[in-house]
């Protein structure tokens, strides 16, 4: 019975178009040679092209915001590169021995006074809620004194991104991953190399199902670290025979630059 109803709706299209002011006083004069169906088909592809253009612009903006600020490295050093990148993305920075955080104002503007601290190590970085991605971490991986890193609510932080944090194994003490939608148990497995980690926040990670089991495994990998945000009873399967295979906690390899967006480590 569905087919006749669709046909009736199609027959009603000319009447609806004639009664609409969309085509002016003479709707037939504005219709393409192919008729109503051709007109609708053309409009569909127009909308599709607009949506594709908007999506392309979105990813182009993300790429620009994650570019490497290497022009500062030669004269100012790696720490200033990280500071400029973080402030450019609306984040916050704290230098060693200081309590005050450097942040941009409400309009995204920030002072370059931090250049006088080029010889001071960066101790804490807050990139929460930013568009930082795997490529954007190029600006941070050369920090030698980083103790605290906040990547909460970063939609582009994924398992590949976490695989790069091993460079902070001798310094990082606090890591916040709250609300990162693309982080899975594979990415968390990479954190076993962070030997100095003392605080790990993994609250609200929607891509992780068996949270209780993941919590147990993390506590075994990082016995010196306090893991918060998960409970032993979260997401535990009711079926006693349901177990997670060892492959699910396998550490991913470092990806190449031409990896596809959203690709999950194998």
């Amino acid at each position: 019975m569905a087919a006749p109803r669709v046909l009736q709706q199609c027959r009603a299209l000319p009447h609806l178009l004639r009664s609409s002011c969309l085509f002016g006083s003479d709707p037939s004069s504005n219709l393409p040679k192919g008729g109503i169906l051709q007109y609708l088909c053309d409009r569909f592809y127009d909308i599709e092209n607009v949506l594709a253009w908007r999506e392309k612009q979105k990813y182009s903006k993300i790429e620009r915001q994650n570019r490497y600020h290497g022009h500062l490295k030669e004269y100012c050093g790696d720490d200033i590169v990280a500071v400029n990148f973080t402030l450019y993305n609306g984040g916050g920075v704290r230098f060693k021995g200081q309590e005050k955080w450097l942040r941009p104002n409400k309009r995204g503007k920030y002072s370059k006074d931090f250049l006088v601290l080029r010889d001071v190590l960066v101790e804490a970085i807050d990139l929460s809620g930013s568009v930082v991605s795997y490529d954007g971490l190029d600006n941070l991986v050369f920090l030698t004194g980083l103790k605290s890193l906040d990547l909460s609510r970063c939609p582009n932080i994924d398992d590949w991104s976490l695989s790069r944090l091993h460079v902070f194994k001798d310094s990082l003490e606090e890591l916040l991953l709250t609300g990162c939608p693309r982080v899975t148990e594979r990415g968390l497995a990479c954190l076993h190399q962070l030997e100095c980690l003392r605080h790990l926040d993994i609250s609200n990670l929607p891509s992780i199902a068996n949270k209780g089991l993941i919590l147990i495994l993390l506590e075994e990998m990082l016995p010196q670290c306090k893991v918060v945000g998960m409970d032993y009873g979260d997401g535990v399967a009711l079926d006693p025979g349901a177990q997670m295979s060892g492959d699910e906690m396998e550490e991913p390899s470092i990806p190449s630059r031409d990896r596809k967006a959203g690709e999950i480590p194998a």
Side-chain angles (χ1 to χ4, degrees):
M1 298 298 293
R5 187 176 303 171
V6 172
L7 291 176
Q8 291 175 4
Q9 293 175 352
C10 291
R11 295 191 188 101
L13 277 175
H15 174 72
L16 293 175
L17 292 176
R18 283 194 296 270
S19 62
S20 172
C21 61
L22 180 63
F23 300 103
S25 58
D26 186 9
S28 60
S29 62
N30 292 317
L31 287 175
K33 189 175 182 180
I36 296 173
L37 293 180
Q38 183 63 46
Y39 175 83
L40 295 177
C41 183
D42 292 342
R43 297 289 78 75
F44 171 78
Y45 283 112
D46 287 345
I47 295 174
E48 192 177 51
N49 290 334
V50 170
L51 293 177
W53 176 82
R54 288 185 60 184
E55 194 71 12
K56 183 178 179 180
Q57 292 296 110
K58 173 184 175 182
Y59 283 106
S60 296
K61 181 179 179 181
I62 292 177
E63 289 180 358
R64 289 195 303 271
Q65 290 186 262
N66 281 281
R67 75 181 191 276
Y68 180 53
H69 293 212
H71 60 283
L72 296 172
K73 180 174 182 177
E74 182 178 356
Y75 301 101
C76 303
D78 293 315
D79 287 77
I80 295 301
V81 169
V83 171
N84 194 65
F85 169 78
T86 302
L87 296 178
Y88 176 77
N89 280 279
V93 176
R94 181 168 56 81
F95 285 90
K96 183 178 181 180
Q98 297 190 1
E99 297 182 358
K100 182 180 179 181
W101 284 77
L102 301 180
R103 297 182 183 275
N105 59 26
K106 295 181 179 180
R107 301 178 60 185
K109 305 296 182 181
Y110 55 92
S111 171
K112 295 297 180 67
D113 293 343
F114 59 82
L115 293 176
V116 300
L117 301 172
R118 66 184 67 184
D119 297 325
V120 182
L121 295 177
V122 171
E123 193 171 67
I125 284 184
D126 177 7
L127 279 166
S128 58
S130 69
V131 295
V132 60
S133 66
Y134 176 91
D135 293 331
L137 293 178
D138 286 344
N139 295 276
L140 308 182
V141 293
F142 296 107
L143 296 176
T144 58
L146 186 64
K147 291 186 177 182
S148 176
L149 178 60
D150 189 349
L151 298 175
S152 302
R153 305 182 309 281
C154 292
N156 300 312
I157 290 296
D158 55 10
D159 295 339
W160 295 115
S161 305
L162 297 188
S163 71
R164 305 194 68 182
L165 301 185
H166 68 91
V167 296
F168 304 124
K169 63 184 181 67
D170 296 325
S171 64
L172 194 63
E173 298 178 359
E174 181 183 42
L175 177 61
L176 308 179
L177 299 173
T178 306
C180 292
R182 300 173 66 182
V183 170
T184 73
E185 60 274 3
R186 295 181 182 274
L188 295 179
C190 303
L191 303 181
H192 76 276
Q193 302 182 66
L194 301 179
E195 301 174 356
C196 296
L197 199 62
R198 295 294 181 268
H199 181 85
L200 174 62
D201 191 340
I202 49 176
S203 309
N204 190 25
L205 298 182
S207 297
I208 296 181
N210 297 314
K211 294 181 171 61
L213 181 56
I214 296 301
L215 175 60
I216 295 174
L217 295 175
L218 284 173
E219 290 180 340
E220 290 182 356
M221 290 192 309
L222 302 167
Q224 78 288 353
C225 179
K226 180 180 180 181
V227 182
V228 300
M230 289 186 181
D231 187 76
Y232 294 115
D234 291 343
V236 176
L238 297 178
D239 182 5
Q243 297 181 355
M244 179 178 292
S245 64
D247 293 339
E248 294 188 26
M249 288 296 292
E250 182 181 355
E251 178 185 352
S253 57
I254 301 298
S256 60
R257 285 292 175 183
D258 57 352
R259 69 184 180 92
K260 296 181 180 179
E263 183 181 1
I264 300 299

